Amino acid sequence: MSLTLLGRSLLSLAFFLNCDGASAATGDGPDGEPVAGSARRIALWPNGVAPGDKPLAQAARIVERSTDPALPDRYITHVSAPYLVMYRPARPNGTALLVTPGGGYQRVVLDKEGSALVPAFVEQGGITLFVLRYRLPGEGRDDREAALADAQRALRLIRARAGEWQLDPRRIGVIGFSAGGHLAARLGNGFDQPAYPATDAIDRASARPDFQLLVYPVIDMAGADAHPGSRERLLGARPEPALQRRYSMQDQVRADTPPTFLVHAGDDAAVPVGNSLAFYSGLLRAGVPAELHVFPHGGHGFGTRGIAGLTTAAWPRLALDWIAAQGTERTP
């Protein structure tokens, strides 16, 4: 899709969100994100704040980096009350994707690896997207499991309410980008590792994604391919080797890790392609079905933008075909 068409599609959405359970009146949420229109905002936790956490003193902050209104590029920090933004197609095909955008565990990108997916995956693919605003290390709960807790809770919430949203509870996947790819891989490898205390009936649902898509993901935390910024934000300035290995996702793959689709550019200078290669090797060793696409050009952070004229632009179509081929035999 050209940037012009993408911009028009995004403008048609107007980027207006409404709070789950609230009126559709135009207004702003507590973090300043617009809250009206066709997309829908859904709180993760019953009281807005995760168990064991407390609201931050500083309000959530949303920053717009783009000067082109047709191509917004926002990010959010200081997330106290994590939430989802749901984008539903006119005719849902029953498949859902939890989206964990990147941002180096320093911020959460909202558009480039979030709302910009709508034209390809929602409007053309019929998939329901749930873009996660997750808590960041060092903000709120003072440990490195807060983002995983949010991802687990989000997957469970989507599955528990699948009937309400015309979804098949056996076709709920996750797609993660960059550091969000690391978070998605943590969810896929550790869906049954308790990251928070159960709070309600939603937490009885499985947090295992039925499939996962990792796009230029941060995977390794120990070797030469590690992304220094993500590692420091998540593990600290001088993490012990054992801690680095524990959070190197290629070493945590298990037989029940979900089937995986990987996308990377060979010229990615920020998160080297060795991350995806290492994870693919781990999947093969564990006997997990996997598909890997390495494109020669695209750099880092391309999402669905900035790849017109490159073979990399084929990845959304390849991803949709791969998702359609995933079976529904796996029981949550």
Side-chain angles (χ1 to χ4, degrees), residues 184-200:
R186 290 172 69 193
L187 177 63
N189 288 340
F191 56 87
D192 57 354
Q193 298 171 7
Y196 66 94
T199 59
D200 54 26

Side-chain angles (χ1 to χ4, degrees), residues 105-106 134-139 141 143-144 146-147 233-234:
Y105 281 120
Q106 184 175 6
Y134 54 89
R135 289 170 294 160
L136 295 160
E139 297 185 358
R141 203 172 94 173
D143 65 38
R144 54 184 64 92
R233 288 285 299 181
L234 187 64

Side-chain angles (χ1 to χ4, degrees), residues 195-326:
Y196 66 94
T199 59
D200 54 26
I202 287 172
D203 290 325
R204 291 197 290 268
S206 171
R208 181 183 183 272
D210 292 298
F211 48 86
Q212 61 183 3
L213 299 90
L214 308 180
V215 186
Y216 42 83
V218 172
I219 293 294
D220 190 20
M221 289 283 172
D225 288 328
H227 180 246
S230 296
R231 179 172 59 193
E232 182 169 347
R233 288 285 299 181
L234 187 64
L235 305 183
R238 291 180 292 276
E240 295 291 330
L243 187 64
Q244 294 180 43
R245 289 192 297 272
R246 176 182 166 192
Y247 284 88
S248 292
M249 288 299 102
Q250 75 273 23
D251 297 329
Q252 306 303 320
V253 176
R254 24 193 276 195
D256 55 357
T257 292
T260 304
F261 179 93
L262 290 150
V263 175
H264 223 113
D267 62 354
D268 190 332
V271 178
V273 68
N275 284 269
S276 284
L277 298 176
F279 197 71
Y280 182 72
S281 295
L283 294 165
L284 292 183
R285 288 194 299 270
V288 176
E291 183 167 319
L292 168 66
H293 295 272
V294 177
F295 296 97
H297 303 294
H300 187 72
F302 49 78
T304 56
R305 298 178 181 176
I307 47 178
L310 300 177
T311 55
T312 319
W315 86 260
R317 182 70 260 167
L318 294 168
L320 288 169
D321 290 344
W322 181 83
I323 291 169
Q326 298 311 297

Side-chain angles (χ1 to χ4, degrees), residues 40-54:
R40 185 174 177 182
R41 176 176 170 146
I42 304 161
L44 285 191
W45 310 96
N47 64 353
V49 179
D53 206 346
K54 57 184 179 181

Side-chain angles (χ1 to χ4, degrees), residues 14-177:
F15 299 105
F16 291 135
L17 314 173
N18 67 305
C19 293
D20 188 47
S23 71
T26 301
D28 289 335
D31 47 34
E33 190 168 357
V35 288
S38 59
R40 185 174 177 182
R41 176 176 170 146
I42 304 161
L44 285 191
W45 310 96
N47 64 353
V49 179
D53 206 346
K54 57 184 179 181
L56 295 170
Q58 183 175 355
R61 178 171 178 255
I62 293 178
V63 175
E64 173 61 86
R65 297 179 289 189
S66 173
T67 58
D68 183 350
L71 294 171
D73 184 18
R74 302 167 299 159
Y75 70 78
I76 188 170
T77 58
H78 301 100
V79 176
S80 283
Y83 61 98
L84 294 163
V85 173
M86 176 174 67
Y87 299 92
R88 292 189 69 198
R91 298 179 181 82
N93 66 10
T95 299
L97 277 176
L98 169 63
V99 183
T100 55
Y105 281 120
Q106 184 175 6
R107 60 184 67 89
V108 179
V109 174
L110 301 183
D111 298 309
K112 201 172 182 182
E113 296 165 352
S115 63
L117 304 176
V118 168
F121 287 87
V122 178
E123 295 174 357
Q124 298 176 25
I127 292 174
T128 304
L129 292 184
F130 296 83
V131 184
L132 179 61
R133 280 77 165 140
Y134 54 89
R135 289 170 294 160
L136 295 160
E139 297 185 358
R141 203 172 94 173
D142 191 21
D143 65 38
R144 54 184 64 92
E145 299 305 303
L148 177 60
D150 291 344
Q152 289 181 349
R153 173 72 179 188
L155 204 295
R156 288 177 172 128
L157 187 152
I158 297 166
R159 181 163 281 137
R161 298 177 63 178
E164 175 184 345
W165 294 321
Q166 299 175 266
L167 302 174
D168 184 341
R170 300 169 299 174
R171 292 192 61 79
I172 298 172
V174 63
I175 181 170
F177 298 80

